[in-house]
């Protein structure tokens, strides 16, 4: 599977992450609240560079920056990961936004573009989205885009603080995509107003 083009609409643009994005991602990622439920907390430009280098080097992932189309500024990152071409599945994950983009139409539109590409270009059968089960805001956002909660993997990961992380698992499957697409499109349009 390849991703050779930027995904975009009038609200958001997603393009491949490159090493030159490090300084901007460092600047917009200064708020520790961003990293509460993620597996890293980059506390230096060098840590962001490591994050980018690892993401870009992983041939099984497509890391992208999220750009606010109205300002043409990077506001976060996301990626396709755990791509399984044989079984036609993938995960959308490691999504984060700078707090000024929280509650805006940006995340909704980013997910709309990602899901659309996954189902309509790659012909996937399933897209998974996971989050820390304690991240209620993320759980509600995933449910709002129309994903189905499949359950919780108990003690699934070890958090960076050493505690156990339970992981909430959601999915959208190909049979659901047409209905999810309509509802997600309506949700994005309402947020765009």
């Amino acid at each position: 599977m390849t991703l050779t083009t930027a995904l975009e609409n009038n609200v958001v643009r997603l393009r491949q992450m490159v090493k030159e994005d490090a300084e901007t991602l460092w600047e917009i990622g200064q708020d520790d609240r961003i990293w509460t439920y993620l597996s890293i907390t980059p506390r230096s430009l060098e840590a962001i560079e490591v994050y980018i280098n690892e993401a870009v080097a992983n041939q099984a992932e497509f890391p992208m920056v999220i750009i606010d189309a109205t300002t043409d500024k990077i506001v976060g990152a996301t990626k396709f990961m755990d791509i399984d071409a044989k079984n036609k599945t993938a995960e959308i994950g490691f999504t984060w936004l700078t707090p000024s983009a929280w509650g805006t139409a940006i995340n909704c539109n980013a997910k709309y573009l990602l899901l659309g590409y996954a189902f309509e270009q790659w012909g996937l059968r399933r897209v998974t989205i996971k989050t820390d089960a304690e991240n209620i805001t993320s759980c509600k956002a995933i449910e709002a885009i129309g994903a189905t909660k499949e359950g919780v993997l108990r003690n699934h990961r070890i958090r960076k603080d050493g505690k156990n992380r339970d992981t909430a698992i959601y999915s959208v499957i190909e049979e659901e995509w047409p209905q999810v697409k309509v509802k997600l499109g309506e949700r994005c349009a309402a947020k765009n107003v």
Side-chain angles (χ1 to χ4, degrees), residues 122-139:
W122 282 346
L124 295 185
R125 297 174 58 244
R126 171 193 171 86
V127 175
T128 302
I129 305 173
K130 296 186 264 189
T131 191
D132 188 310
E134 290 185 11
N135 188 347
I136 303 305
T137 301
S138 182
C139 288

Side-chain angles (χ1 to χ4, degrees), residues 34-95:
I34 295 168
W35 310 103
T36 301
Y37 296 104
L38 294 173
S39 59
I40 64 169
T41 303
R43 301 225 184 261
S44 66
L45 178 58
E46 293 76 22
I48 284 283
E49 289 170 344
V50 168
Y51 153 67
I52 292 172
N53 289 337
E54 288 175 356
V56 170
N58 188 337
Q59 297 297 311
E61 297 182 347
F62 292 101
M64 294 169 266
V65 291
I66 301 170
I67 301 167
D68 181 333
T70 60
T71 64
D72 203 36
K73 295 194 182 296
I74 295 173
V75 293
T78 191
K79 62 183 168 181
F80 280 118
M81 51 199 273
D82 293 331
I83 299 166
D84 182 343
K86 178 182 175 187
N87 290 298
K88 296 185 176 186
T89 64
E91 178 180 346
I92 296 170
F94 215 86
T95 302

Side-chain angles (χ1 to χ4, degrees), residues 7-21:
L7 308 178
E8 61 186 303
N9 62 22
N10 63 337
V11 175
V12 68
R13 189 169 74 251
L14 307 172
R15 68 154 170 80
Q16 183 177 353
M17 184 183 291
V18 294
K19 294 176 182 181
E20 292 76 18
D21 294 323

Side-chain angles (χ1 to χ4, degrees), residues 105-173:
I106 289 173
N107 188 47
C108 180
N109 280 273
K111 294 299 189 290
Y112 183 87
L113 292 171
L114 291 164
L115 288 165
Y117 197 87
F119 290 111
E120 296 168 13
Q121 300 301 313
W122 282 346
L124 295 185
R125 297 174 58 244
R126 171 193 171 86
V127 175
T128 302
I129 305 173
K130 296 186 264 189
T131 191
D132 188 310
E134 290 185 11
N135 188 347
I136 303 305
T137 301
S138 182
C139 288
K140 287 180 180 178
I142 295 167
E143 291 165 9
I145 68 169
T148 299
K149 185 173 184 178
E150 296 182 331
V152 175
L153 297 176
R154 300 174 301 148
N155 290 356
H156 181 235
R157 298 270 187 251
I158 298 174
R159 292 185 180 132
K160 56 192 167 200
D161 64 4
K163 295 179 181 174
N164 290 323
R165 170 188 145 151
D166 294 343
T167 300
I169 299 194
Y170 296 84
S171 70
V172 178
I173 60 174

